Amino acid sequence: MSKKGIAILGSTGSIGVQALEVIEQYPDKFELVVLTAHKNADLLIEQSIKHKPNTVVIVDESLYQKVNDALFEHDIKVYAGEQALAEVTEMKEVKTVLTALVGYSGLIPTIKAIEAGKDIALANKETLVVAGELITKLAQEKGVNIYPVDSEHSAIFQSWVGDFNNKIEKIYLTASGGPFRGKSIDELKQVTVKEALNHPNWEMGAKITIDSASLMNKGLEVIEAKWLFGLKPEQIEVIVHPQSIIHSAIQFEDGSIKAQMGLPDMKIPIQYALTYPSRYKSNFKRFSFMDYPSLTFEKPDPKTFKNLQLAFDALDKGGSMACILNAANEITNQAFLDGKISFLDIANINEEVMNKATFIESPKLDDYINSNDEARQIAQDIVMSKLN
Ligand code: NDP
Ligand code: MG
């Protein structure tokens, strides 16, 4: 059997690094074709010398010379820039593109990969939030599969396998609740960046960690689930489950529920997205029921954690609204990380941008691009006005 060619977009991030750990376990099954990074040239060089991809892309063009000088003698092709990032997905050796980029930057490369008929292992949820309708339609037209990497969506997918002909009545999307679970608005006024970065169960990149604290991540995941599984908003229920052991569940029309569970370890969903329908024997740490004598469940609090409500509002509105919310959130998330706004400002500004940005009912690709630009600008202006 020939090896499966993999391109990892965003190999230097949290998901990218774990994907490399998965892939190196199975040298007979996978061939690493492409690695990419934005600015972390040192890690990209180190990964490339170790894993020997055919081609790498460093998105920041000012770092091209450095990466090329280091990899020239290793016979690895080096490209730079956003266009190269999108174009490498088309290489004939690539079978599956793992989109482990963060934020809106994943949109165009994902579209290019689908147009080239590549399967997608999708970690970059923002792409489905921005343009879920366009992406899922395109994937259907091209006969391309989108395999979820996000642990909740992987859990739903894994629970659905064997039941594809049966309708989903609803899904339960589990949420850890993040570091601020149970806090009141008053308590949230004072929380710091350091506290927000301290996630109880998962170690992830900075953006998704802040999104988890603000429940924006769960909101983005609600939208991601709608597009991946073709659901209506009322079929998606968010349940807070602080232990992060049940990764999500499907309820079928006979009332039966199938869930997928295990320790919180992203390597499992990453691996399944690359190996479906097979399961390869792994050396990941095993779960023990005795370590978790009680699994608990709570209702989320969308009044306090308004971002979750905003995501449902964006779904109800449809059109470009989720794109607007995502763009606003990319700015406010970063502004909070940079110490420019408070934690509660994140959702407040996101809401303000949703009210101010131009809404487009039936967006095309150009409209998404313009909506993203406009919403970012509005968010940026509000952030600046808070600084003055
Ligand atoms: P990280 O911030 O750790 O990594 C992001 C990766 O994307 C890095 O390789 C980074 O390069 C690259 N990158 C960043 N900005 C750009 C850009 N503008 N253009 C091109 N490349 C860029 O993120 P995570 O790995 O945590 O998350 C990746 C995606 O996976 C996100 O969409 C997230 O929501 C999703 N996800 C992550 C989970 C996790 O456990 N981490 C769990 C579920 C989903 P460089 O290092 O050079 O900056
Ligand atoms: Mg998740």
Side-chain angles (χ1 to χ4, degrees):
M1 205 186 79
S2 66
K3 295 188 201 177
K4 190 184 265 187
I6 309 283
I8 305 181
L9 307 188
S11 63
T12 49
S14 159
I15 293 288
V17 166
Q18 294 178 85
L20 284 172
E21 286 172 32
V22 166
I23 288 171
E24 73 181 341
Q25 298 300 311
Y26 310 102
D28 307 343
K29 307 278 192 191
F30 299 119
E31 185 190 339
L32 203 54
V33 184
V34 175
L35 297 179
T36 83
H38 184 216
K39 288 179 185 297
N40 194 343
D42 291 331
L43 183 55
L44 181 65
I45 291 166
E46 189 190 315
Q47 290 178 334
S48 303
I49 292 172
K50 180 168 179 204
H51 296 280
K52 302 189 175 42
N54 173 299
T55 298
V56 305
V57 178
I58 180 86
V59 175
D60 183 336
E61 295 180 26
S62 69
L63 295 164
Y64 169 77
Q65 205 60 50
K66 176 177 176 166
V67 178
N68 194 44
D69 286 352
L71 298 183
F72 183 73
E73 62 173 311
H74 297 273
D75 210 17
I76 295 171
K77 291 189 219 58
V78 179
Y79 298 96
E82 280 177 21
Q83 199 177 332
L85 175 70
E87 284 174 2
V88 282
T89 63
E90 298 170 344
M91 285 173 61
K92 68 173 187 321
E93 297 86 349
V94 173
K95 169 89 174 89
T96 300
V97 175
L98 171 62
T99 62
L101 303 162
V102 67
Y104 174 86
S105 66
L107 178 66
I108 302 297
T110 307
I111 291 176
K112 279 269 186 257
I114 296 173
E115 282 174 343
K118 311 299 183 184
D119 281 340
I120 306 293
L122 185 129
N124 176 238
K125 67 191 85 184
E126 293 92 340
T127 284
L128 279 187
V129 174
V130 169
E133 191 168 4
L134 182 152
I135 295 283
T136 47
K137 225 186 235 162
L138 188 63
Q140 217 160 27
E141 272 168 34
K142 299 282 173 189
V144 158
N145 297 310
I146 301 179
Y147 299 111
V149 168
D150 213 348
S151 58
E152 296 78 0
H153 305 72
S154 176
I156 291 161
F157 180 60
Q158 293 185 52
S159 305
W160 204 8
V161 170
D163 266 307
F164 287 138
N165 291 328
N166 290 317
K167 272 199 192 140
I168 298 176
E169 188 167 78
K170 67 184 284 191
I171 63 166
Y172 296 94
L173 206 60
T174 53
S176 71
F180 303 143
R181 178 172 64 90
K183 283 205 188 306
S184 65
I185 294 212
D186 247 10
E187 290 168 316
L188 288 176
K189 279 183 186 150
Q190 305 302 333
V191 295
T192 63
V193 172
K194 195 167 163 227
E195 289 168 313
L197 283 174
N198 187 20
H199 195 279
N201 303 342
W202 298 96
E203 266 199 41
M204 310 177 284
K207 192 224 171 217
I208 183 174
T209 307
I210 298 302
D211 283 345
S212 298
S214 73
L215 255 62
M216 187 73 264
N217 182 52
K218 209 47 57 180
L220 300 179
E221 290 184 355
V222 167
I223 300 172
E224 181 186 13
K226 178 211 155 72
W227 293 115
L228 279 173
F229 307 113
L231 301 171
K232 298 195 180 79
E234 56 273 22
Q235 289 176 289
I236 306 172
E237 183 170 346
V238 174
I239 300 283
V240 176
H241 165 45
Q243 297 82 19
S244 297
I245 295 298
I246 294 189
H247 298 308
S248 282
I250 297 185
Q251 180 171 303
F252 292 97
E253 289 191 307
D254 61 356
S256 182
I257 293 177
K258 278 168 80 179
Q260 185 263 346
M261 63 190 290
L263 291 171
D265 179 354
M266 283 309 296
K267 289 205 281 296
I268 294 179
I270 292 169
Q271 176 163 315
Y272 193 67
L274 299 178
T275 67
Y276 170 85
S278 301
R279 291 183 184 273
Y280 296 171
K281 186 169 174 55
S282 82
N283 57 5
F284 309 147
K285 190 167 177 234
R286 292 336 193 215
F287 171 77
S288 159
F289 279 91
M290 295 314 130
D291 291 342
Y292 293 87
S294 93
L295 297 180
T296 60
F297 305 93
E298 301 163 15
K299 274 201 158 104
D301 175 4
K303 281 212 172 74
T304 306
F305 294 91
K306 206 163 53 172
N307 276 330
L308 182 57
Q309 186 57 49
L310 295 180
F312 275 103
D313 295 347
L315 265 193
D316 283 341
K317 186 86 181 160
S320 60
M321 196 50 92
C323 172
I324 292 167
L325 171 59
N326 177 71
N329 185 64
E330 288 194 26
I331 297 297
T332 52
N333 178 306
Q334 189 60 49
F336 173 69
L337 274 168
D338 294 342
K340 292 179 179 160
I341 59 171
S342 74
F343 183 75
L344 289 174
D345 283 339
I346 297 174
N348 290 335
I349 298 175
N350 290 349
E351 185 175 28
E352 200 177 329
V353 177
M354 286 168 77
N355 290 329
K356 283 188 174 157
T358 314
F359 174 70
I360 301 162
E361 188 90 47
S362 305
K364 308 246 180 332
L365 179 58
D366 280 352
D367 300 317
Y368 287 121
I369 294 171
N370 293 335
S371 252
N372 173 67
D373 286 345
E374 186 202 39
R376 278 170 186 268
Q377 192 54 54
I378 296 171
Q380 203 79 63
D381 291 347
I382 302 171
V383 169
M384 290 307 286
S385 73
K386 298 228 172 237
L387 286 174
N388 296 329

